[in-house]
Amino acid sequence: MCGFTSDKRLELQARSAFNGAVQVHPTRASVDLAVAAIATILVGLLLQLGPVVAFGGSLLAGLAIARAVTRVGVSRIRAAGFEMLWRGEERAVTVGRGELVELEAEIRNRDTRAARYVELRAIASPNLMVSLEPASGEVPALGRLNVTVRIETPRVGRHGIHGLSLEVQGSPGLFEVPLTFANPFGIEVMPKAFGVSQRSAKGGRSRRVARDGMAGPFSGDGTDLREIRELRPGDPFKRIAWKATARRGKLMVRDFEREERDVVWLLLDASVELWAGAPGMAPLDRAIDEIAQVARYYTRLGDQVGLGILAARPLAWLPPMRGAAQLNKIQSALALQTATIDADRSDWDEADAAARALEHMRPLDPDGSGLLRSRDIDKIARRADRLRARAPFKRADPFSCNARDKSLRRYLSLYGIGSPARLEPERKHTDLQLLEALRRVRTEGPRASLAFVWSEPPDPLTRPEMSLALARQKGRGTQVRWVSMRTAESVGESSSLTGGAANEAVKLRAALAQERGERELRRLGIRVERFFTRPGAASPDVESPTIL
């Protein structure tokens, strides 16, 4: 029909037509012309010059006619069929953090006249960075416009591309009409190590470690030097010790040993205040990538790895297991369980969640949601339950004590609509959960032999109770390693003089608190480590974490 090839399966899955009310907005030229017309009329009235008044009135009449022509033209385009669809069968993709996602979309115009637009933008999650090409142009008559959507993914979680919006300009160029196409697409962003896991070879040498075995040192990929020996067939070249080779005149390699541990626990402090900072720069952004990379490292060595995500309550608790399935569970928990959509971690109450859900539902379901009001929370929740089947994501279980509020938050999560973190810090409650988690991994079976803790180091000036509690738990058989979460690096830059000075003061204060906390941990006999990426290597592609 109308020169289009038909793909019914694709169109039923991903088509979105514009059904909203037509809203006409003046351009800058239209506003300037209206001001000039009014000024002309006022001058004519003051000077009592009829032709001048008539000229100003004709300008205003021309603007009214141009507005009517624009409205009629856009209504005609909409009636003829103006729609947008995603190319391809998928409604959601899963990628590693920092990866670039490129989508293809089509905007179809079934009218006999071209539709010129001055701006094309994506309606998307603020945790995504979206660019479109072409940003301006026209949709040809009885034709289609191919749009490339490039998406940068700086933060883990579920994020949505809710649709596209065009600013269509009428033929005189004096008025614009925004046309919004509600066509959701989901972007599930996992830690950076996820992309490496997907590209890694499965089987063969990657499964050389036995599933079960007693703890003990043996040759392999590790951190402790075992010996320097001659090169043997099969030794990787990256282990060549060049200085020893030069001294002895033959190829020498470093042989490392590691101790196979029954259990390695990874504990993450996921307090809401640690999401502070630009997407990709917050302390939790870095910590999630680091934990995923460490989990991948120990999983590849055949160790059992467990994960605990703690805040004011335990957000996730994965008992230690071996294998790729456990690694996938850890990466998924890091990406999804640290979100702030839960009622006790969100800055939105039930009324806010209902208002956001209704705002999203109206362009998606204008007939069923157009007459609802934000105060009709029960009706909004019922309508949201019916629309969940159209969401790009299929499962979500946000935390809430209220069934109606939970239904609204489930709708937001399934469509990739994030919530801002609550303003009240969780530090005191999280410290209690961290201490309880350390007790559990030290006493409950299978007992951990190595536990990593990602958290802010306990500053004795502000968190003395944490220091005393850690001192009481010392010497219980589990080696604890503390990885500092660097809050100072999340403070952004400011262009103003006062803002820059304030930022520097915040960074200095955070750095001093971190230094005091690390010194206190060392006094307690807890090893303090920092996570680094190898110079010149892409952070997801390193074979093993570098912790110093």
Side-chain angles (χ1 to χ4, degrees):
M1 179 184 296
C2 301
F4 291 101
T5 58
S6 178
D7 186 347
K8 295 296 184 183
R9 177 171 56 85
L10 177 63
E11 293 182 15
L12 287 174
Q13 177 181 350
R15 175 183 291 173
S16 174
F18 173 75
N19 295 312
V22 176
Q23 299 179 351
V24 181
H25 301 290
T27 63
R28 180 61 182 270
S30 178
V31 173
D32 293 341
L33 190 60
V35 171
I38 294 172
T40 301
I41 292 174
L42 292 176
V43 170
L45 291 174
L46 290 175
L47 300 178
Q48 296 183 350
L49 296 174
V52 176
V53 175
F55 178 73
S58 64
L59 290 178
L60 291 178
L63 286 174
I65 294 172
R67 186 179 186 278
V69 168
T70 301
R71 188 181 186 90
V72 170
V74 174
S75 298
R76 174 182 171 177
I77 292 174
R78 185 178 66 170
F82 201 56
E83 59 194 20
M84 170 258 177
L85 59 88
W86 298 107
R87 301 185 65 179
E89 299 182 10
E90 300 295 330
R91 295 289 308 282
V93 296
T94 302
V95 298
R97 187 174 84 89
E99 293 186 20
L100 180 66
V101 181
E102 190 168 296
L103 304 177
E104 297 293 333
E106 285 185 3
I107 299 175
R108 297 182 174 182
N109 179 14
R110 300 185 185 273
D111 193 15
T112 55
R113 293 192 300 181
R116 183 161 52 96
Y117 67 95
V118 295
E119 184 180 4
L120 174 64
R121 62 181 183 272
I123 304 172
S125 166
N127 291 321
L128 298 175
M129 301 172 63
V130 185
S131 61
L132 298 100
E133 186 179 333
S136 61
E138 70 175 19
V139 186
L142 299 177
R144 68 187 71 190
L145 175 70
N146 294 323
V147 179
T148 301
V149 184
R150 294 184 178 87
I151 306 160
E152 298 180 36
T153 54
R155 175 162 288 177
V156 299
R158 284 178 171 175
H159 313 299
I161 304 290
H162 309 300
L164 302 181
S165 179
L166 286 86
E167 291 285 345
V168 179
Q169 197 171 73
S171 55
L174 297 176
F175 292 91
E176 297 172 354
V177 179
L179 299 182
T180 301
F181 301 93
N183 196 345
F185 194 97
I187 309 290
E188 188 173 66
V189 183
M190 306 293 281
K192 284 184 178 180
F194 173 82
V196 183
S197 300
Q198 295 300 104
R199 296 189 296 268
S200 297
K202 305 299 188 294
R205 294 181 62 191
S206 65
R207 302 181 61 180
R208 66 184 181 274
V209 181
R211 182 173 180 83
D212 297 305
M214 298 180 61
F218 62 94
S219 178
D221 293 326
T223 57
D224 298 324
L225 182 65
R226 182 186 183 93
E227 62 177 340
I228 295 180
R229 55 173 175 80
E230 293 185 15
L231 179 72
R232 299 172 185 167
D235 286 336
F237 286 109
K238 67 179 181 180
R239 292 187 188 172
I240 294 177
W242 295 108
K243 290 184 179 179
T245 297
R247 285 195 302 267
R248 301 191 183 184
K250 61 178 71 175
L251 286 175
M252 307 295 293
V253 296
R254 297 184 184 91
D255 194 5
F256 295 91
E257 71 176 20
R258 70 178 180 88
E259 181 179 333
E260 186 178 13
R261 298 178 176 89
D262 291 329
V263 177
V264 176
W265 269 97
L266 309 174
L267 303 178
L268 172 63
D269 176 352
S271 301
V272 290
E273 59 266 29
L274 295 176
W275 277 125
M281 300 299 294
L284 267 175
D285 287 316
R286 294 187 176 93
I288 287 172
D289 281 341
E290 293 169 3
I291 290 181
Q293 193 172 333
V294 172
R296 178 174 178 267
Y297 174 72
Y298 283 105
T299 300
R300 285 168 59 88
L301 295 181
D303 296 329
Q304 296 184 62
V305 182
L307 173 69
I309 302 178
L310 297 314
R313 58 180 172 85
L315 303 179
W317 191 263
L318 300 180
M321 295 182 66
R322 294 185 177 93
Q326 177 73 350
L327 179 60
N328 290 338
K329 291 179 182 178
I330 289 174
Q331 292 175 343
S332 179
L334 289 170
L336 303 181
Q337 300 304 318
T338 55
T340 57
I341 194 65
D342 294 338
D344 59 342
R345 292 170 59 80
S346 170
D347 196 44
W348 291 346
D349 58 14
E350 185 184 44
D352 293 326
R356 298 311 188 278
L358 179 59
E359 183 181 1
H360 183 267
M361 289 160 55
R362 279 175 175 164
L364 187 67
D365 177 44
D367 295 333
S369 307
L371 298 179
L372 295 179
R373 298 293 178 264
S374 58
R375 62 177 178 272
D376 303 327
I377 299 180
D378 284 325
K379 294 180 180 179
I380 295 173
R382 287 195 294 269
R383 195 66 190 172
D385 288 337
R386 297 176 185 175
L387 293 176
R388 288 208 306 261
R390 299 171 61 179
F393 303 112
K394 298 307 177 187
R395 287 179 294 179
D397 188 26
F399 174 83
S400 180
C401 298
N402 183 328
R404 186 176 65 180
D405 181 50
K406 186 171 184 176
S407 178
L408 294 169
R409 294 181 187 278
R410 183 181 292 114
Y411 174 90
L412 296 175
S413 179
L414 291 175
Y415 279 96
I417 304 172
S419 164
R422 64 181 300 175
L423 300 179
E424 296 82 2
E426 298 180 308
R427 171 55 50 215
K428 291 184 178 180
H429 301 290
T430 305
D431 283 349
L432 295 176
Q433 294 294 337
L434 280 173
L435 292 170
E436 174 63 17
L438 284 171
R439 185 198 65 78
R440 289 182 64 181
V441 303
R442 280 168 159 162
T443 59
E444 298 180 4
R447 192 175 67 176
S449 55
L450 177 61
F452 287 92
V453 179
W454 270 262
S455 180
E456 295 178 286
D459 182 359
L461 297 183
T462 58
R463 300 161 65 189
E465 299 85 359
M466 186 68 171
S467 300
L468 293 175
L470 288 173
R472 286 194 293 267
Q473 288 193 1
K474 186 171 60 173
R476 296 191 179 180
T478 299
Q479 183 182 1
V480 178
R481 299 184 181 183
W482 199 285
V483 184
S484 297
M485 297 177 71
R486 303 180 294 278
T487 56
E489 297 179 10
S490 65
V491 180
E493 302 295 334
S494 176
S495 57
S496 65
L497 181 61
T498 56
N503 287 352
E504 290 301 321
V506 171
K507 289 181 181 180
L508 180 60
R509 182 178 178 181
L512 291 175
Q514 177 178 331
E515 183 179 349
R516 288 194 299 266
E518 291 181 351
R519 188 165 55 246
E520 179 69 10
L521 288 172
R522 294 188 185 97
R523 187 186 68 81
L524 296 173
I526 297 175
R527 180 173 170 179
V528 179
E529 297 178 331
R530 295 189 181 183
F531 195 97
F532 294 94
T533 301
R534 294 178 187 174
S539 54
D541 294 330
V542 296
E543 287 295 321
S544 61
T546 303
I547 303 180
L548 300 177

